[in-house]
Amino acid sequence: MTLGVGTVHSVGVRRLLADAGVGPKDLRLDLHEHVDHAIALALRGFDSGRSGPIEGAVSVASDILRRWRTPRPELVAGLARCLESREPHGGGDAAMALARLVSADSTQDITSAVPALVVAANESCDPVAGPAALALARLDHPGVLEPVHRWLASSGDLPYFQVTSLGEVLQPLVKRSDELLPGIRRTLVDSADDEGLRPVLTALAAWGPAASAAVPELVPGLATRNVRWVCDVLGSIGAAAEPAASTLESFVRGVRQPPRHDGGTRAPNGRRQWHGAQNAAWAHWRITGEPKVFLAFLDDVTPRGRLGYADLGRLAELGPQAMRYATAVRPLLDSPGPWTRVQAAHAWWRITGDADAAVPVLLAALEPLRSGDADDACRAAVRYIARIGAPARAAAPLLEAALSSDRCFPPGVHPAARAALVAFGGGPRPAHTR
């Protein structure tokens, strides 16, 4: 794959270029004027019938579709053919490339690839089955259910979690939670202490209240080395996880100590010493609606008016209830780290309602959009600007330019940018066309 703005290519792409007599420095997939030539090379590779050029074609097609928004149905069809041919070297990469094209941002239509994805998802070859199932899950296609049920039934076999990324497949299937939860609940019991369960727990945390039926299986997870992830799920579920509240409070206060990551134990001494106590404190607040325990934890980790390792995102959720920490948040708007600055700006606005100090920090974090990029801090800033609304309307020209550009941005940027423009008092931008 081409990296950054240079000409570093994978071995497969180099073989494809060598077959066509093209030097590696003569193909820049980050330059729009090279795209048509690259498409022709990819199609030639797909039609070659040879593993090396096909692998290169998959890489080139994936890179073009990742960088540019103009619909390229010929490349989607090439990736589908690669799946159908059971190409051993490119099938998994082709399935993952298709999976990446399913998002609220995408302008690519992968409908033609769905039959091949359904077949691939039900194959026993995990490197292909997992990405194919992920694509179907993001499409909310019923064909994903059979392989997911099969993986859940095999939950005692840890490699299923590692190879198929079951958690990533489950996350977009929240609408099918009623059908999937019986198998998930068995998995929570079968693999309670396996590290491989953590991606599944992360998916359940994203499901939130839809995972409520699993509370009886989740509560015992507080006695396993997956306890931090279990705390996050219980907090995301909210009030329905009330049976866990007393245990969570005991963790925060140091009355009880959960298992260590390595399976060892800590002796309770009445002092908080577990590094996951913040997860437990936040979960306790989300479950009970009472912030006292969470605020007490924050008092404990705010020595001399500094926030220490407190999670600014979770602090922001408290809003005005966290007013006594505002003076500790304010200096972080000038932190040397862009991620900390953006998180602090959002927390400051949520706690104080003051957009004047927060907005300039968030606007500065949008600068990568000018070059067709969006790092973590930039993506978060777009989301927070959409929440702030009219006081951040100075971002409108840059967001409009990003939406009208042919360049792709990471998932989530376009929906958040459109939401921001609506919040500014404008209207949603039409989908990109070319």
Side-chain angles (χ1 to χ4, degrees):
M1 180 178 293
T2 303
L3 304 176
V5 296
T7 54
V8 179
H9 300 291
S10 70
V11 172
V13 173
R14 286 177 174 271
R15 289 174 181 167
L16 179 66
L17 297 178
D19 274 5
V22 177
K25 294 184 178 180
D26 295 328
L27 190 69
R28 287 276 302 272
L29 301 186
D30 59 309
L31 298 179
H32 199 276
E33 58 266 31
H34 287 207
V35 170
D36 287 343
H37 185 206
I39 291 173
L41 289 172
L43 295 178
R44 176 174 172 174
F46 282 130
D47 292 336
S48 70
R50 292 181 290 125
S51 294
I54 290 175
E55 185 180 352
V58 169
S59 183
V60 170
S62 176
D63 208 338
I64 292 171
L65 295 170
R66 180 177 62 86
R67 291 178 182 274
W68 304 101
R69 290 174 59 78
T70 297
R72 306 289 184 184
E74 65 275 36
L75 296 183
V76 172
L79 293 171
R81 291 202 308 276
C82 184
L83 279 180
E84 291 166 347
S85 68
R86 306 295 189 274
E87 166 57 41
H89 299 291
D93 289 341
M96 184 55 73
L98 291 166
R100 292 192 190 104
L101 296 180
V102 186
S103 75
D105 298 350
S106 182
T107 53
Q108 307 294 335
D109 181 3
I110 71 165
T111 304
S112 63
V114 167
L117 288 168
V118 171
V119 172
N122 284 279
E123 292 285 333
S124 59
C125 179
D126 292 328
V128 178
L134 178 59
L136 294 173
R138 291 177 174 173
L139 287 168
D140 194 26
H141 192 281
V144 74
L145 294 177
E146 185 175 342
V148 170
H149 283 310
R150 184 174 67 251
W151 297 338
L152 290 171
S154 304
S155 59
D157 188 357
L158 187 59
Y160 275 101
F161 297 106
Q162 295 174 331
V163 178
T164 62
S165 300
L166 178 57
E168 192 174 8
V169 175
L170 284 174
Q171 189 161 326
L173 293 176
V174 60
K175 294 178 182 178
R176 300 180 183 274
S177 59
D178 288 346
E179 184 172 355
L180 291 170
L181 274 168
I184 291 171
R185 295 174 70 177
R186 289 193 302 272
T187 299
L188 293 174
V189 174
D190 292 345
S191 303
D193 206 43
D194 284 340
E195 292 183 13
L197 186 64
R198 292 171 188 175
V200 175
L201 293 170
T202 299
L204 293 182
W207 281 15
S212 297
V215 167
E217 290 74 32
L218 288 164
V219 172
L222 294 173
T224 72
R225 58 181 174 170
N226 290 325
V227 56
R228 285 182 62 188
W229 290 263
V230 174
C231 286
D232 289 345
V233 182
L234 293 168
S236 298
I237 288 172
E242 192 277 335
S246 61
T247 301
L248 293 169
E249 182 175 357
S250 71
F251 289 162
V252 179
R253 299 191 185 282
V255 177
R256 294 176 60 182
Q257 293 291 337
R260 296 164 53 94
H261 280 190
D262 60 8
T265 59
R266 303 178 184 87
N269 59 9
R271 299 195 311 273
R272 179 193 61 77
Q273 57 180 333
W274 176 44
H275 62 278
Q278 183 166 201
N279 304 66
W282 170 82
H284 184 274
W285 166 59
R286 290 290 303 268
I287 290 167
T288 66
E290 170 53 61
K292 183 178 178 180
V293 171
F294 193 14
L295 292 172
F297 166 82
L298 291 169
D299 286 341
D300 189 33
V301 298
T302 313
R304 296 182 299 279
R306 300 179 64 184
L307 279 171
Y309 70 92
D311 185 323
L312 289 167
R314 287 177 170 165
L315 186 68
E317 289 185 49
L318 283 166
Q321 295 179 100
M323 184 62 74
R324 66 198 201 220
Y325 308 109
T327 54
V329 171
R330 184 61 181 83
L332 297 178
L333 272 67
D334 299 316
S335 169
W339 176 255
T340 299
R341 289 197 302 271
V342 166
Q343 295 301 309
H346 179 235
W348 175 260
W349 171 71
R350 286 280 291 124
I351 294 168
T352 68
D354 172 25
D356 290 344
V359 167
V361 175
L362 298 176
L363 292 178
L366 299 183
E367 284 302 306
L369 295 177
R370 298 187 188 279
S371 59
D373 196 7
D375 58 15
D376 289 342
C378 178
R379 296 198 297 274
V382 178
R383 295 195 303 272
Y384 299 153
I385 280 172
R387 296 173 190 173
I388 292 173
R393 64 168 56 91
L398 185 52
L399 296 179
E400 288 183 349
L403 288 172
S404 62
S405 170
D406 190 33
R407 288 190 178 274
C408 290
F409 291 93
V413 169
H414 283 82
R418 286 191 289 267
L421 293 174
V422 172
F424 298 160
R429 295 280 305 187
H432 168 82
T433 57
R434 188 174 177 85

